[in-house]
Amino acid sequence: VVLNIQSVSFMPGYGFGAAAATLIGQNLGANDPVKAEKAAYEAVKLGILFMGSLGLLFLIFPEWVVQLFTNNPAVIENAQFPLRIVGTIQIFDAVGMVLSVALDGAGNTRWVMKAEIIVNWCIFLPLTYLLTFTFELHRYGPWLAWASYLIIFGMICWWKFREGSWKKIKI
């Protein structure tokens, strides 16, 4: 249920990323990397605004949001904490979502793929195991690991985009 609720937020975020990718490709093709960068940052701002606003709803009113998706009391009770975690990290998710797709649009697809693989296999999965089984946070461990993944991925996408090597890729 929480992932379905989160998709209400991240699907439009992906749309902002697709718009950024299109504008980046168009502007890089026109030899205007400054305009390409501005377009991406505008998409990030819109993604943060949209996803951050929903994140506030997830954080402040998780019970109400979950009730839009189910009337099962056990699900409503158990989904509130994970939804609050998801709400807390929506800004990082927006940055990672928009800029990873923007980097794809600039032709930096291998970097995005490698970043996803490294963050998933070297951070998310081991951290999920550690928090869930070693520290016995059975209900919360996977969600805390998921939040860590989204924060780290968002930060490295922001770093890579800001670093600017994507402006020089020739396709």
Side-chain angles (χ1 to χ4, degrees):
V1 168
V2 174
L3 288 176
N4 284 337
I5 294 168
Q6 187 182 12
S7 71
V8 170
S9 175
F10 75 68
M11 290 308 290
Y14 185 83
F16 290 123
T22 302
L23 292 170
I24 285 173
Q26 192 174 44
N27 287 302
L28 288 178
N31 291 320
D32 194 347
V34 172
K35 196 172 181 181
E37 187 172 17
K38 285 181 182 178
Y41 283 128
E42 281 301 311
V44 169
K45 286 179 196 174
L46 291 171
I48 288 172
L49 181 65
F50 184 84
M51 292 175 72
S53 297
L54 286 177
L56 282 174
L57 285 175
F58 300 165
L59 187 61
I60 297 169
F61 304 109
E63 183 177 359
W64 178 78
V65 174
V66 174
Q67 286 176 355
L68 294 172
F69 289 78
T70 184
N71 60 3
N72 183 318
V75 173
I76 293 167
E77 177 64 30
N78 288 309
Q80 289 181 57
F81 178 79
L83 192 57
R84 280 194 171 106
I85 291 174
V86 168
T88 303
I89 52 87
Q90 282 298 289
I91 291 172
F92 293 98
D93 195 11
V95 171
M97 179 73 62
V98 174
L99 290 182
S100 66
V101 180
L103 288 164
D104 281 340
N108 213 343
T109 56
R110 287 180 193 247
W111 183 90
V112 174
M113 177 193 67
K114 289 174 188 175
E116 281 279 13
I117 289 170
I118 290 168
V119 175
N120 271 292
W121 285 91
C122 297
I123 297 171
F124 174 60
L125 290 175
L127 189 57
T128 300
Y129 182 87
L130 183 70
L131 293 172
T132 305
F133 301 109
T134 304
F135 293 113
E136 297 182 4
L137 298 172
H138 302 289
R139 285 180 31 193
Y140 308 119
W143 293 103
L144 294 169
W146 177 246
S148 299
Y149 156 75
L150 291 173
I151 290 167
I152 292 166
F153 187 69
M155 289 171 56
I156 64 171
C157 286
W158 175 78
W159 167 79
K160 183 64 174 174
F161 192 82
R162 192 173 150 101
E163 177 255 344
S165 62
W166 58 270
K167 296 175 192 175
K168 298 174 183 88
I169 295 173
K170 299 294 180 202
I171 299 176

